[in-house]
Amino acid sequence: MKTRNLLVKIVTVILFSLLILSFAVWGIGDIFRSGGSAVAVAEVGDTVIDQQAYARELSREVVNLNRRLGAQLTGQQMRAFGIPQQVLSRMISQAILDEQVARMGLLLTEDQMHRQLLENPGFQDGTGRFDGNRFTLFLRQINMTEQGYLALLSKESLRQQLTSAVTAAAVAPESLAEQFLSYRGERRIADYLTIDAARFEDIGEPDSTALQETYDNADSRFMKPAYKSISLAVLSVDDAAAEVAVSDARVAEAFEARKADLFAPERRSVSQAVVPDEAAAEALADRLAAGADFAAAVEEATGRPPVDLGTLSQNDLPAALGAPVFALAAGQTSRPIQSPLGWHVVLVREIEPAEEASLEDYADELRRTLVEEEAINIVVELANQFDEELASGASLEQAADQTNVELRKIAAIDSQGRAPNDEVLDGLPPLEDFLAVLNATPSGETSVLSESLEGDFFIVRVDGETPAQKQPLAEVREQVVELWRENERARRAKEMGDAIAGRLNEGRDIAAVAEAEGLSVEETPAVTRFENSQQQTLDPRIAPQLFEIDAGAAASFAVPGGQIVVQLKEVLPPDSEGRDTRLAEISEQLTSSLQDDIFQQFLAALQADFDVTVNQRLVDQIVTEF
């Protein structure tokens, strides 16, 4: 269970990173409202997004995410991360653009589409020529047919024509880019002195008034957290699994039922050449049949080396290639094979024979799976019984007694699941799920029976609550004294820093002042406003402060462990090296931002023209059945 919980956390982090980058035009709440025909998920003007199209796009999105994450998303995860709404929002946005394209009568000729395909750098080989093999692999990766991709390319190209017409003329003024470059690139150099608060050793002891003030001003530093006393019932899959025994006969039966899924199909290492016509393919095949070297013959015939497709099963190959390739022997080359991408000549380098699964190899894994499946069924059935008892009016104690579930009493637990000794309590449900329910349940209330991501069920009743309160001064006196000392050292460091800065601003020499105070003068490198590298500046907060004072002026700043006094020594323009490149980058960023703003306004205007309705009930049904 720990492994599965870790995977969920990893998937969560990755998914949030992916979804932030996804295409979205408006907030879901702004355009989603009930309505639409019974078979339409959404309607945008005259465009209907039917349930099949939505389900297909949702499936493709999930398959691609699974491939990229290396994990299988559950339906619950898919809904929790908003993937169904993300997909539908994107389809609605595209439909609005398509409606405007149709209204304006924009067209894309077959020649234009063909040229876009051939000129796509992702489908070109090292010489810049279109490579059908790359295109085939790309289609397989995105789980789409050639016809489907070309239809998508056509629509995307027309949308791009529309958006380019709206935004292409918007270019950021050169003067604005110059101002940004000057602001970002201006550099400053300063002399500085570091005052270590630890130098003030003879602090003494606080009097009662100072001690009380320090204690009163400490905010939450000396607070005891709020504690709840709770009653907790947990229906654990792990506990149920410990009571499950699976016989050898059941394992053997499960193996026979799942044997086909455990079978490893034959796989072949394949290289191929794609030539434009049958005559060239026949000539190449004849040369290979006569004993010519495959790589040399292919390069001579096509001008480039053969493409290694890797090790594949028959189902991994396009239908036109699968059967002919798997009819060849190891080391054998094929006769010409035609596919929608051209004529192929294929070499089978190696063959990995199919492997039948054995019961011995899979017995332990199947036993664990059967135990877990049965444990989950037990817990789900028990949860239903528990819920029914509560629904009939039984108390938490009565429901636990009737279902033989332990009702645990916890005298004190805080919002982080910790006891008063600051240790996390044992035997709790998965902490993230449990704490969300615990902290949302008020005193005197009982939560609903909740399910964790690991499949456990639990229910919490908050029997009482002790509010957060400050620990008495007498109990934390030593900590308060130490805090007073920290504050006093920081106060003295600030006092000294302010005094030194005052003398420097009166015209005193920084070297002389430093010598008198037993300090040393150091010089910062040339830093910009946004410098945050500690190799460039002692503390990242110093750099922006240097841009708040004039040349020759001094100022004192607090830093962890003390105070720094800086005197601005020199103001430099942006570094001239690479200036044109940086200016071009800034200009491009500003132009992109300007065009994005215009595009958003354009879409908002289109939204007002085209009525958008969503059949939310049908959306929910499709997602539930997914």
Side-chain angles (χ1 to χ4, degrees):
M1 294 297 176
K2 291 182 180 178
T3 300
R4 182 166 54 184
N5 196 37
L6 176 61
L7 177 60
V8 169
K9 290 182 179 179
I10 292 172
V11 170
T12 300
V13 172
I14 297 174
L15 264 176
F16 275 119
S17 299
L18 290 174
L19 292 178
I20 288 170
L21 297 175
S22 296
F23 178 86
V25 177
W26 306 284
I28 295 297
D30 292 337
I31 64 171
F32 278 54
R33 57 184 184 274
S34 61
S37 65
V39 296
V41 168
E43 296 182 19
V44 180
D46 294 330
T47 300
V48 173
I49 301 173
D50 63 40
Q51 54 188 337
Q52 290 84 6
Y54 174 65
R56 186 168 55 250
E57 190 67 21
L58 181 60
S59 175
R60 183 179 293 115
E61 182 82 1
V62 172
V63 167
N64 290 334
L65 278 173
N66 286 342
R67 184 181 293 114
R68 293 167 68 183
L69 296 172
Q72 294 294 317
L73 294 178
T74 66
Q76 185 178 1
Q77 288 172 325
M78 182 181 70
R79 290 187 289 273
F81 298 132
I83 296 173
Q85 286 74 23
Q86 198 84 4
V87 170
L88 187 55
S89 177
R90 183 172 65 235
M91 294 180 75
I92 288 172
S93 302
Q94 292 168 345
I96 288 177
L97 293 176
D98 291 342
E99 282 284 306
Q100 183 65 15
V101 163
R103 174 187 286 180
M104 297 176 66
L106 299 180
L107 296 173
L108 184 70
T109 67
E110 190 173 325
D111 286 343
Q112 287 175 315
M113 188 167 62
H114 186 65
R115 187 165 57 253
Q116 285 192 21
L117 185 64
L118 295 180
E119 293 175 356
N120 188 325
F123 304 146
Q124 293 176 352
D125 60 17
T127 65
R129 290 188 292 182
F130 178 76
D131 188 338
N133 297 305
R134 292 174 184 248
F135 183 48
T136 300
L137 289 174
F138 169 76
L139 294 177
R140 189 183 307 149
Q141 289 170 356
I142 65 172
N143 193 32
M144 187 176 286
T145 65
E146 180 180 348
Q147 293 77 12
Y149 177 73
L150 292 177
L152 179 64
L153 177 63
S154 176
K155 284 192 173 185
E156 288 292 345
S157 298
L158 290 171
R159 293 172 193 145
Q160 184 61 41
Q161 284 185 29
L162 176 61
T163 55
S164 294
V166 174
T167 63
V171 178
E174 185 177 344
S175 59
L176 182 60
E178 291 277 4
Q179 291 178 35
F180 265 80
L181 178 63
S182 296
Y183 183 81
R184 287 184 182 181
E186 180 184 323
R187 298 165 296 155
R188 296 194 170 196
I189 299 174
D191 289 327
Y192 68 92
L193 311 173
T194 302
I195 303 170
D196 187 352
R199 69 183 285 157
F200 303 103
E201 298 178 352
D202 187 17
I203 298 299
E205 293 287 327
D207 58 28
S208 58
T209 301
L211 190 66
Q212 186 66 47
E213 286 180 356
T214 302
Y215 173 78
D216 292 340
N217 294 332
D219 299 322
S220 61
R221 185 158 177 169
F222 303 113
M223 294 291 291
K224 286 182 179 179
Y227 288 99
K228 291 180 176 181
S229 60
I230 65 171
S231 299
L232 171 66
V234 181
L235 287 62
S236 167
V237 173
D238 285 346
D239 291 345
E243 303 297 323
V244 173
V246 175
S247 67
D248 292 342
R250 278 194 61 195
V251 173
E253 181 182 344
F255 174 75
E256 290 301 323
R258 308 180 191 193
K259 189 174 181 179
D261 295 331
L262 302 176
F263 172 79
E266 179 182 310
R267 290 160 56 83
R268 297 184 168 211
S269 298
V270 178
S271 295
Q272 72 164 359
V274 180
V275 293
D277 56 67
E278 184 178 8
E282 286 285 359
L284 175 58
D286 288 342
R287 287 196 61 198
L288 295 171
D293 177 73
F294 184 76
V298 169
E299 188 153 11
E300 184 177 339
T302 65
R304 55 182 181 270
V307 176
D308 181 8
L309 297 181
T311 304
L312 310 167
S313 68
Q314 184 167 342
N315 289 336
D316 292 330
L317 289 168
L321 292 176
V325 168
F326 273 73
L328 298 172
Q332 187 178 2
T333 56
S334 71
R335 299 305 301 173
I337 305 168
Q338 187 178 20
S339 83
L341 299 173
W343 288 88
H344 304 249
V345 177
V346 177
L347 166 66
V348 174
R349 297 194 308 275
E350 295 179 2
I351 297 177
E352 295 180 5
E355 293 182 6
E356 286 198 23
S358 69
L359 175 59
E360 182 181 354
D361 291 338
Y362 287 93
D364 291 342
E365 180 181 339
L366 284 172
R367 192 182 302 276
R368 285 193 297 270
T369 300
L370 291 171
V371 166
E372 184 173 359
E373 289 174 354
E374 187 166 336
I376 290 172
N377 291 335
I378 291 171
V379 167
V380 170
E381 183 177 350
L382 190 59
N384 289 333
Q385 294 174 6
F386 200 101
D387 220 16
E388 288 173 2
E389 291 290 336
L390 293 174
S392 68
S395 67
L396 198 57
E397 286 78 6
Q398 291 169 333
D401 185 61
Q402 288 295 321
T403 55
N404 198 29
V405 172
E406 178 188 1
L407 186 63
R408 180 183 176 189
K409 299 288 186 177
I410 299 177
I413 183 171
D414 70 6
S415 62
Q416 301 302 310
R418 296 179 180 275
N421 63 3
D422 206 36
E423 293 183 0
V424 176
L425 288 160
D426 294 328
L428 298 176
L431 210 55
E432 185 176 351
D433 304 304
F434 169 69
L435 293 180
V437 173
L438 172 67
N439 296 328
T441 305
S443 181
E445 298 290 332
T446 303
S447 73
V448 297
L449 188 63
S450 303
E451 183 180 8
S452 75
L453 284 175
E454 293 191 1
D456 300 331
F457 287 84
F458 62 93
I459 188 168
V460 178
R461 184 181 65 204
V462 178
D463 299 318
E465 185 169 7
T466 303
Q469 54 186 323
K470 210 165 190 178
Q471 295 172 273
L473 175 58
E475 292 183 10
V476 293
R477 188 180 189 284
E478 288 304 315
Q479 295 98 302
V480 177
V481 169
E482 185 55 38
L483 177 60
W484 175 84
R485 287 174 179 153
E486 290 177 13
N487 293 344
E488 182 65 13
R489 291 189 184 98
R491 185 191 67 78
R492 295 189 186 187
K494 182 179 185 307
E495 187 177 80
M496 181 178 180
D498 290 346
I500 290 174
R503 278 179 274 169
L504 296 178
N505 285 326
E506 290 171 358
R508 299 285 298 276
D509 178 67
I510 189 170
V513 172
E515 183 178 1
E517 297 291 350
L519 302 172
S520 58
V521 180
E522 298 181 73
E523 182 182 272
T524 69
V527 297
T528 67
R529 284 180 170 85
F530 309 103
E531 183 60 61
N532 58 12
S533 170
Q534 290 193 353
Q535 294 179 343
Q536 292 292 97
T537 178
L538 185 64
D539 187 279
R541 288 168 291 188
I542 293 178
Q545 301 285 6
L546 296 181
F547 289 82
E548 300 296 326
I549 58 178
D550 297 328
S556 178
F557 309 116
V559 294
Q563 199 83 3
I564 287 182
V565 180
V566 299
Q567 185 174 43
L568 185 58
K569 188 174 183 178
E570 192 173 0
V571 178
L572 302 173
D575 190 352
S576 59
E577 185 176 351
R579 182 182 186 280
D580 291 343
T581 300
R582 295 198 307 277
L583 185 63
E585 290 174 351
I586 291 173
S587 180
E588 184 178 345
Q589 292 168 3
L590 291 172
T591 295
S592 177
S593 179
L594 177 61
Q595 291 178 347
D596 285 345
D597 288 343
I598 293 172
F599 180 60
Q600 293 298 327
Q601 294 176 38
F602 175 61
L603 285 172
L606 291 182
Q607 183 187 9
D609 283 350
F610 300 109
D611 188 35
V612 178
T613 60
V614 171
N615 187 336
Q616 192 62 51
R617 181 177 299 176
L618 183 56
V619 172
D620 295 338
Q621 178 184 334
I622 293 170
V623 173
T624 300
E625 295 174 354
F626 192 80

